[in-house]
Amino acid sequence: MAYLALYRKWRPRTFSEVVGQKHISIPLQRAIEQDRLAHAYLFSGPRGTGKTSMAKILAKAVNCLHPNGANPCNECQSCREINEGASLDVYEIDAASNRGIEEIRALKESVRTLPAVSRKKVYIIDEVHMLTKEAFNALLKTLEEPPAHVLFILATTEPEKIPLTILSRCQRYEFHRISVADIRDHLLYIAKESGLPLTEDAADLIAVRADGGLRDALSLLDQCSSASESKVLDARAVYDLLGLTGKDRILDLSHHIFNGKSGETLSLFYSILQDGKEPAAVLRDLLEHFRNLMICKINPKAPELTQYGSQVETLRSDASRLSEPYLDALFEALHAALSEAKRSSSPRLSAEMGLLHLCRIRGSQSLDSLAERVTQLEKELASLKKGRISMAPAQAPSASTIPVPPVFPQPVSQPVMKPMPQVPSPSFPEQRPPKTAGTPAAGPESRNFPKAPPVSKPSPIPAAPDPPTTAPGGPSVPAPAASNGAALINPSTYEDLWQKVLGYFMSIRRIDVYTCLRKSTLIYCTYTRAIVSAPQPFLVAAGNNKSYQKVAAEAFNKITGHPIEIHTVLKGSEEEASAYTLLKTAEAAPSPVTPQHPDPIPQKVEQNPYRPISREQISDKDRSDPSLNEALKIMADCDIYEKTNQ
């Protein structure tokens, strides 16, 4: 007798033998027992999940002469003929090769005749989604109201291609992918019954590679059992027979990549190629490994991780140490390398370059790598704030936590951490650059320190020192030069002074500066420096514009006789809190400074010749102006000004 493939030999013959589809077999059995069968069924789902087998079991169950409950007996003449494919009343039609309207017309003619020997004529149409549009239209009426002796069973892997008019006429059952555990147990059962020396690790590996299809799993088992020369069919034999890379070598390859060891990575890659593996296949196995690492971070007990066998703990340990952004960067880079290797004229070269790029991911400027390093730096700063890290210089953050990766490889003799002295860090005061010009520089980069701006140089301490420019716990606020001109202006005059400054902007027709600063508030002012608070970030950016600051200094000079430079901060920010703290400190000074100018606001500013109005207040005469109408169409809801009669 000719040899039968395992998936044909072990095809299920009763409802109870169908693996992993109890949500379908149980309702069908109840419908048979209660005599409530529908006239048309649609079985849909992935390949190898039991659709055609379930259809044959249903055909036997409705025609069995001696049923065992709802299950067919598989011993009567009707069951034997259906099992052998020789029944005159059960038609198996392949819609992929019989997809035209002529075949459907022949089917409609056959439906009218009574069954030859069975109770029902059963039509099993496999891959029904391959029928043409005309064939579906011809089948509609027959499928909706077939004769009482006819049962239609449609099977497909792509139900979305079937017209809704067909779907609405059928009872639909969706077949699920079979779980790894169910496939493994079934493989071990078949191997035991067939005398195959299959180990549990090999069964796990085959079950994972089958991707939910039991027929694929049985085909892989059949292939491995016939090609294996060893007495035991273990995981290593399955790896060799299926052309896969062993998990131990994949783990070693990934460890070299994580450690950035390019030489070791290429050496192991060449060793794998010597065993007959294709470059693209190695990258594909490595890509699946990175995917399993991501799955392990989410669910360390995922069923597909059983293919690692005794090395699953190594996988879990790697997943716990690797960050998600880093894994994302690895997966994306490897996916691009695999795509390039598939379409490249030199797959090995593309695979080598892809692996070298993976070794450099941690030092690259990709977004995922930068995100990982920023996250690590934030953790370091949080630990420093909580005082859980010693303040000793020897425990400064390592180079891997500083997000300044080199774009190109640096020479070995060049120190990578040379820019570190220029990084301001409140936790390491000894690393700050020296403030005296006579201190010798620590390296070539330090020779520019004597040319630093005058703010960093020490200045003589005046008789009446200014208040400190840094609030406790807040950011630094630019401080005026220590001179008599830096005396604090009386805060009670700030509102009047600021209104006159805004009026000056309008008097010189600088409406843009007025619009930007009119919502700001003067919160600190000396005769050299003023700090204003703005309610929105874009107003802060505009207020600190050099041209706007120049106009503001001109306005202060016109009013107070001093070119006061303004600095804009965001309302509610730490800078604003520092300015208020600075103001309170200045007011509480033991020797308050009196302004040199007898009148803080000595000059009278020309009254603003413009007044703000709304769109509704525009006169009819002005509305008739076509230029104004066109301007109003494209203008945003901003301030509109009208010249007064003065």
Side-chain angles (χ1 to χ4, degrees):
M1 187 174 182
Y3 175 77
L4 280 180
L6 289 180
Y7 78 88
R8 294 181 60 189
K9 181 179 180 181
W10 292 93
R11 182 187 293 273
R13 305 174 67 184
T14 62
F15 288 111
S16 57
E17 292 179 2
V18 179
V19 178
Q21 308 296 345
K22 291 184 178 180
H23 65 289
I24 297 176
S25 59
I26 292 177
L28 290 179
Q29 291 182 73
R30 291 176 179 173
I32 293 172
E33 292 172 352
Q34 299 173 9
D35 196 18
R36 297 182 59 181
L37 279 175
H39 62 276
Y41 290 92
L42 175 64
F43 294 162
S44 60
R47 69 183 189 280
T49 52
K51 300 183 294 296
T52 307
S53 298
M54 188 75 77
K56 288 185 176 181
I57 295 172
L58 181 58
K60 289 187 294 183
V62 298
N63 291 318
C64 183
L65 301 178
H66 309 289
N68 184 14
N71 283 313
C73 66
N74 290 301
E75 296 178 357
C76 64
Q77 180 180 358
S78 177
C79 290
R80 289 198 308 269
E81 290 178 349
I82 295 175
N83 287 333
E84 296 171 0
S87 176
L88 298 177
D89 298 319
V90 177
Y91 300 86
E92 291 189 52
I93 303 173
D94 179 20
S97 56
N98 301 277
R99 58 193 306 264
I101 190 172
E102 295 299 330
E103 288 81 359
I104 299 302
R105 286 175 178 171
L107 184 148
K108 292 174 63 178
E109 294 296 328
S110 173
V111 164
R112 298 178 182 177
T113 61
L114 293 173
V117 294
S118 304
R119 286 197 294 265
K120 281 183 176 291
K121 297 181 73 171
V122 182
Y123 292 86
I124 302 174
I125 306 178
D126 200 8
E127 301 298 334
V128 69
H129 66 275
M130 298 294 291
L131 292 178
T132 63
K133 181 179 179 181
E134 294 76 11
F136 274 124
N137 292 334
L139 185 63
L140 278 177
K141 192 63 177 178
T142 303
L143 190 66
E144 182 178 16
E145 297 177 357
H149 60 270
V150 173
L151 173 64
F152 283 101
I153 305 176
L154 314 181
T156 179
T157 56
E158 302 181 35
E160 65 277 0
K161 294 184 179 180
I162 299 178
L164 295 177
T165 51
I166 297 293
L167 294 177
S168 62
R169 289 165 166 80
C170 303
Q171 279 192 16
R172 180 175 175 180
Y173 289 94
E174 186 72 28
F175 284 69
H176 298 167
R177 294 181 184 272
I178 305 175
S179 66
V180 174
D182 289 341
I183 295 179
R184 179 193 62 223
D185 294 341
H186 194 63
L187 289 178
L188 292 174
Y189 170 75
I190 292 177
K192 181 180 179 181
E193 294 294 324
S194 303
L196 299 177
L198 181 67
T199 64
E200 292 188 2
D201 291 344
D204 285 329
L205 179 58
I206 294 176
V208 172
R209 300 300 298 182
D211 194 23
L214 186 57
R215 182 173 64 234
D216 293 355
L218 291 175
S219 297
L220 291 175
L221 177 61
D222 204 356
Q223 175 185 348
C224 295
S225 62
S226 60
S228 176
E229 297 179 356
S230 61
K231 296 182 179 180
V232 178
L233 186 58
D234 55 4
R236 182 174 296 276
V238 173
Y239 279 123
D240 294 337
L241 294 171
L242 298 183
L244 305 175
T245 307
K247 292 303 179 184
D248 53 345
R249 309 188 82 177
I250 288 294
L251 284 170
D252 292 340
L253 188 62
S254 64
H255 290 164
H256 292 326
I257 292 174
F258 300 153
N259 295 326
K261 297 180 179 180
S262 304
E264 288 81 351
T265 300
L266 289 184
S267 297
L268 182 55
F269 176 65
Y270 296 152
S271 176
I272 296 174
L273 294 183
Q274 290 297 323
D275 295 339
K277 305 297 188 298
E278 291 296 328
V282 178
L283 296 186
R284 191 182 303 109
D285 293 339
L286 187 60
L287 186 68
E288 182 184 358
H289 176 66
F290 289 157
R291 177 257 184 192
N292 292 334
L293 282 171
M294 294 182 181
I295 296 298
C296 187
K297 288 187 71 69
I298 300 172
N299 181 16
K301 297 183 179 180
E304 54 262 41
L305 303 183
T306 56
Q307 60 180 307
Y308 286 85
S310 59
Q311 295 176 327
V312 67
E313 292 301 327
T314 304
L315 178 75
R316 292 169 181 167
S317 177
D318 292 345
S320 63
R321 292 199 303 266
L322 298 174
S323 66
E324 294 180 0
Y326 178 57
L327 284 176
D328 291 340
L330 286 175
F331 193 88
E332 182 179 357
L334 184 55
H335 189 275
L338 178 58
S339 301
E340 180 65 24
K342 287 181 178 179
R343 61 175 180 265
S344 174
S345 58
S346 179
R348 176 170 177 170
L349 179 61
S350 300
E352 290 172 348
M353 294 302 101
L355 291 175
L356 290 177
H357 178 60
L358 294 179
C359 295
R360 297 192 296 267
I361 285 290
R362 282 192 181 275
S364 69
Q365 292 185 348
S366 64
L367 293 181
D368 294 322
S369 180
L370 292 177
E372 180 195 15
R373 284 180 280 166
V374 168
T375 303
Q376 181 65 24
L377 185 57
E378 289 176 349
K379 292 180 180 178
E380 294 285 349
L381 292 177
S383 300
L384 289 172
K385 289 181 180 180
K386 293 181 180 179
R388 293 183 293 182
I389 295 182
S390 174
M391 301 295 290
Q395 297 181 0
S398 61
S400 61
T401 62
I402 304 299
V404 190
V407 180
F408 299 100
Q410 299 286 345
V412 178
S413 59
Q414 182 178 358
V416 179
M417 295 303 295
K418 187 64 67 177
M420 273 298 294
Q422 299 178 4
V423 179
S425 175
S427 301
F428 302 95
E430 65 280 3
Q431 293 182 359
R432 296 177 180 174
K435 295 185 178 181
T436 59
T439 303
E445 294 83 354
S446 303
R447 296 172 185 172
N448 295 327
F449 285 166
K451 299 179 182 180
V455 177
S456 63
K457 293 183 178 181
S459 57
I461 301 177
D466 278 341
T469 60
T470 304
S476 300
V477 178
S483 63
N484 292 335
L488 182 69
I489 295 179
N490 188 359
S492 62
T493 63
Y494 285 175
E495 183 176 358
D496 190 15
L497 174 59
W498 187 243
Q499 291 301 322
K500 290 184 179 294
V501 170
L502 296 177
Y504 178 80
F505 296 151
M506 297 300 296
S507 67
I508 63 174
R509 311 297 191 268
R510 290 301 300 268
I511 300 180
D512 55 338
V513 184
Y514 173 80
T515 304
C516 171
L517 296 177
R518 72 182 184 88
K519 296 183 180 180
S520 302
T521 305
L522 182 63
I523 60 176
Y524 177 82
C525 185
T526 68
Y527 282 97
T528 58
R529 176 73 70 175
I531 301 176
V532 296
S533 173
Q536 294 174 318
F538 75 92
L539 295 178
V540 176
N544 289 325
N545 184 281
K546 294 297 183 183
S547 61
Y548 284 13
Q549 289 178 336
K550 183 177 179 181
V551 176
E554 179 184 338
F556 276 109
N557 190 29
K558 187 73 174 177
I559 298 170
T560 66
H562 296 274
I564 303 175
E565 181 181 354
I566 71 166
H567 176 70
T568 309
V569 299
L570 182 63
K571 185 175 182 181
S573 65
E574 293 184 1
E575 285 187 299
E576 185 189 48
S578 300
Y580 278 122
T581 304
L582 188 61
L583 179 63
K584 292 180 181 180
T585 307
E587 290 179 334
S591 56
V593 181
T594 57
Q596 290 183 347
H597 205 289
D599 182 10
I601 311 172
Q603 301 188 25
K604 182 177 180 181
V605 181
E606 179 184 355
Q607 188 174 358
N608 184 5
Y610 295 92
R611 65 184 182 89
I613 62 173
S614 62
R615 290 176 180 262
E616 291 76 12
Q617 294 176 333
I618 300 176
S619 62
D620 296 337
K621 178 181 177 181
D622 293 333
R623 287 184 180 274
S624 62
D625 187 354
S627 300
L628 178 61
N629 290 330
E630 292 298 326
L632 290 175
K633 291 179 182 179
I634 63 175
M635 288 175 59
D637 293 335
C638 61
D639 296 333
I640 305 174
Y641 297 90
E642 180 183 50
K643 190 173 183 179
T644 60
N645 295 327
Q646 296 183 1

